[in-house]
Amino acid sequence: MSVPTTVRFRRALTAVVLSTALLAGATACGGGGGGTRREELSAASMGELAALAAAEPAAAEADELAAATPSPSTSAEKQKFAKTRFVANAGLAAGATYQWIVKPYRAGKFKKGAKGRTFALIKAGLAGAFAYNRLKAAADNAKGDPLLSKAMAPLTAGIESLKGLGTKLRKGQAGDADISSFDDVINSVKEAGKSAGATVTDKVPSASQLGG
């Protein structure tokens, strides 16, 4: 089966995003006379950046393949399919948000002068964009189940408010309110899923999982 043009474009975009992130890190590592702290790019950091940069295109490709799959025929099958996709997308958003945004923020990784700050911010920025897109996908999935759709309806504005926060995170401009916004929206989505019988658990995207 040939690879859709949009998927090929997303894969190319992944390479560009990752290259940009690594170049930004290399600039921060420069040993100029300005007294800037040198930050080493470890294999683990590189792996996390690669996973994050690949996550959105990989998830988007899965969505396209799912859309190309013959649709469930009965109402019950359609609702089950919708819940399955919702749980998968919301779980990835929750996992990425906690692992690369909430957790490092609480640990002080985003503060000026913190060791590894540059790479923590790059990862947080990628995670922010990824989480926003996966939450949008989850909200769309929810429309296939009446109960889930009703539970998610009030959260549309909250999800949309996360757009652009990935950029703020990457630039080190995000504050308590921005981090709380991600945390609150994720928790609200989890509650909505639980109330509709679609329990969401955190699923951190990893390089091996994304490589499939």
Side-chain angles (χ1 to χ4, degrees):
M1 183 177 66
S2 62
V3 180
T5 301
T6 52
V7 173
R8 291 199 299 270
F9 172 76
R10 282 170 177 144
R11 286 175 176 171
L13 182 60
T14 295
V16 173
V17 171
L18 182 56
S19 296
T20 301
L22 293 178
L23 282 174
T27 300
C29 289
T36 302
R37 180 192 297 273
R38 180 177 177 82
E39 296 178 5
E40 298 292 340
L41 178 57
S42 66
S45 294
M46 188 177 293
E48 286 185 334
L49 286 174
L52 279 168
E56 175 54 24
E61 181 175 350
D63 283 345
E64 288 194 13
L65 292 175
T69 303
S71 300
S73 56
T74 68
S75 178
E77 288 176 342
K78 290 179 180 179
Q79 290 179 30
K80 182 178 180 180
F81 182 75
K83 284 185 176 181
T84 299
R85 294 298 300 154
F86 167 83
V87 168
N89 280 314
L92 284 169
T97 296
Y98 179 73
Q99 182 68 19
W100 289 302
I101 298 177
V102 176
K103 185 179 177 180
Y105 181 77
R106 290 175 178 172
K109 295 291 186 179
F110 299 164
K111 293 182 179 179
K112 290 183 178 180
K115 183 178 180 181
R117 178 175 185 262
T118 297
F119 299 115
L121 292 176
I122 291 173
K123 288 183 285 186
L126 289 170
F130 170 77
Y132 167 72
N133 287 326
R134 289 303 91 203
L135 287 172
K136 290 276 288 184
D140 189 57
N141 299 145
K143 296 176 182 177
D145 178 85
L147 188 58
L148 189 55
S149 179
K150 183 178 180 180
M152 283 292 293
L155 306 182
T156 302
I159 292 174
E160 195 58 34
S161 72
L162 302 181
K163 185 178 182 179
L165 287 189
T167 300
K168 288 185 68 176
L169 284 163
R170 179 173 53 80
K171 293 181 177 180
Q173 299 172 345
D176 290 343
D178 299 309
I179 305 302
S180 293
S181 293
F182 265 106
D183 208 17
D184 292 344
V185 171
I186 290 294
N187 288 331
S188 295
V189 169
K190 285 183 174 181
E191 286 298 320
K194 184 178 180 180
S195 70
T199 301
V200 175
T201 56
D202 291 12
K203 186 175 179 61
V204 179
S206 69
S208 60
Q209 290 170 333
L210 293 171

